[in-house]
Amino acid sequence: MVRTGPATLDIEWAESPGAADYIVSRRFNGGAVAWRGRTAALRFGDSDRVGTLVYEVVAVSAGGQRSDIRPCAGELVDPTTIDMVAVGDMVLCNGGGAQRVSDLLDVLPGPILGLGDFVCEDGTTVEFETCFDPIFGDQRERFDPVPGNHEYHTPGAAPYFAYFGAAAGDPTKGYYATSVGNWQILALNSNCGEVGGCDAASPQGQWLAQQLETAPPGMCRIAYMHHPRFSSYLPYADDVAIEPLQQLLYDAGTDLILSGHAHHYERFIPARPDGTVDLDRGIRGFTVGTGGVSLRSNLTPHPLSALRIATTWGVLDLDLRPTDYSWRFVDVEAAFATAEPRRASRPAEANL
């Protein structure tokens, strides 16, 4: 196992004669074996985790025959790295890929930023109890949720707030702030009509301005909400209602904005809230509406769109460090070659 940087690992092995490809599995801190992916190469990239990692590589011939397990192990010591996962648009009561996403979350550590629309269609108590809980209930305490529009199909999103309890914040607001390490985490409610608006003078706008103003200098920052500002799914291409919130975030030097709502994965070029590119101070946006509901592939690339994945469910996997971060989209097959590989970036200069 060769460490190649603060965010990635390369696992390498010798060629096995006759092998068509290789299956890579991993134990984290002595836990259960988790399938990490499949590759035809003699190396495999994985994320940097604190703890003890034991990898197993099995060669597979063109005919499907498998070799003996080849183990390798290593110990990582990086206490400054914070694991975090984000995903939204999760459970259909009559099918979908939610169980596969839940299985994936079992092997990815860290809190889960829940990006709304946990149950479709109407966010009822019955849907939470009979559809969401059997699949994600064992991970309920990991969620830091924000409400989606489907939660508000039931007045006041009452079942959503009842299910997540204190973790969802004040039921009259649905927005709240936390922090971890050197990162300020801002959970926002983009259902503007339910919380008195999203303009700067609204209760949420004033609250957000105060949170940004009183944060310790030099903090990095993530904001997340259900609705994306921009999207390659045309009905959601330009949501101006949330632009005032994003303007406040931009002025404060926010690094990342995460959202759901559109049923695909999308990464955006760092930009200003008005949609102009700003590679120096712009906010990098992600849409992760791939938690299990039906995917939408009828996309028209937005001018700011850097990458779109609309053929598989999965989650955004984040590593947060004191002055930078890295990300990757992990699909339910853990087939990293077909999803987005780990990428790293420094935050906006205002936060350094």
Side-chain angles (χ1 to χ4, degrees):
M1 182 170 64
V2 180
R3 185 170 182 169
T4 61
T8 60
L9 294 167
D10 274 352
I11 300 91
E12 301 176 339
W13 54 88
E15 182 177 6
S16 179
D21 54 13
Y22 301 87
I23 295 173
V24 182
S25 301
R26 186 186 81 177
R27 290 182 187 269
F28 175 74
N29 281 349
V33 174
W35 185 43
R36 301 302 286 172
R38 193 162 182 155
T39 178
L42 298 177
R43 59 190 299 175
F44 184 83
D46 201 4
S47 62
D48 186 346
R49 305 292 185 197
V50 178
T52 300
L53 303 177
V54 176
Y55 289 88
E56 298 176 351
V57 179
V58 173
V60 184
S61 71
Q65 295 176 312
R66 301 191 178 196
S67 71
D68 294 334
I69 294 172
R70 303 178 180 187
C72 60
E75 198 155 312
L76 303 175
V77 181
D78 184 9
T80 63
T81 298
I82 298 163
D83 293 299
M84 194 166 286
V85 186
V87 65
D89 302 273
M90 303 180 75
V91 175
L92 289 171
C93 289
N94 59 353
Q99 183 59 61
R100 301 181 72 191
V101 173
S102 178
D103 294 343
L104 180 58
L105 290 173
D106 283 341
V107 298
L108 293 174
I112 303 167
L113 304 184
L115 304 177
D117 282 3
F118 296 91
V119 282
C120 300
E121 291 293 322
D122 298 310
T124 64
T125 298
V126 170
E127 287 175 340
F128 271 102
E129 290 181 350
T130 65
C131 302
F132 185 85
D133 194 69
I135 298 175
F136 292 103
D138 61 339
Q139 302 175 57
R140 182 173 175 175
E141 300 305 316
R142 294 177 62 191
F143 276 94
D144 293 320
V146 292
N149 56 296
H150 281 273
E151 274 72 60
Y152 281 103
H153 285 191
T154 298
Y160 157 82
F161 286 105
Y163 183 82
F164 286 110
D170 185 337
T172 66
K173 299 175 180 178
Y175 50 86
Y176 55 94
T178 60
S179 64
V180 58
N182 193 44
W183 285 80
Q184 183 182 34
I185 314 296
L186 297 161
L188 303 179
N189 192 340
S190 57
N191 297 278
C192 303
E194 302 290 343
V195 290
C198 291
D199 57 277
S202 68
Q204 182 172 207
Q206 295 181 59
W207 170 87
L208 177 58
Q210 182 184 38
Q211 293 294 319
L212 296 170
E213 182 179 350
T214 58
M219 289 198 82
C220 303
R221 186 171 293 112
I222 294 175
Y224 63 107
M225 65 190 83
H226 181 61
H227 298 83
R229 172 69 181 91
F230 307 108
S231 180
S232 292
Y233 180 60
L234 286 180
Y236 308 152
D238 188 15
D239 191 341
V240 296
I242 59 176
E243 184 175 350
L245 296 179
Q246 297 219 1
Q247 187 65 53
L248 290 169
L249 294 166
Y250 173 81
D251 292 342
T254 299
D255 305 294
L256 300 171
I257 292 183
L258 316 180
S259 62
H261 197 43
H263 298 175
H264 65 282
Y265 170 81
E266 188 159 15
R267 173 170 53 84
F268 294 90
I269 299 167
R272 302 179 184 92
D274 64 2
T276 55
V277 174
D278 183 350
L279 298 180
D280 293 326
R281 294 192 66 253
I283 304 175
R284 190 187 305 277
F286 291 88
T287 296
V288 197
T290 48
V293 299
S294 301
L295 298 168
R296 297 188 180 112
S297 59
N298 54 329
L299 305 178
T300 301
H302 189 279
L304 291 174
S305 181
L307 178 69
R308 299 160 303 283
I309 297 174
T311 57
T312 183
W313 297 291
V315 304
L316 179 67
D317 182 27
L318 295 168
D319 278 355
L320 309 178
R321 292 174 294 276
T323 58
D324 66 0
Y325 61 91
S326 56
W327 75 88
R328 63 178 174 176
F329 176 71
V330 185
D331 70 30
V332 293
E333 302 291 352
F336 301 138
T338 61
E340 182 170 27
R342 184 165 291 285
R343 298 281 302 279
S345 178
R346 299 189 66 81
E349 291 182 357
N351 283 346
L352 292 178

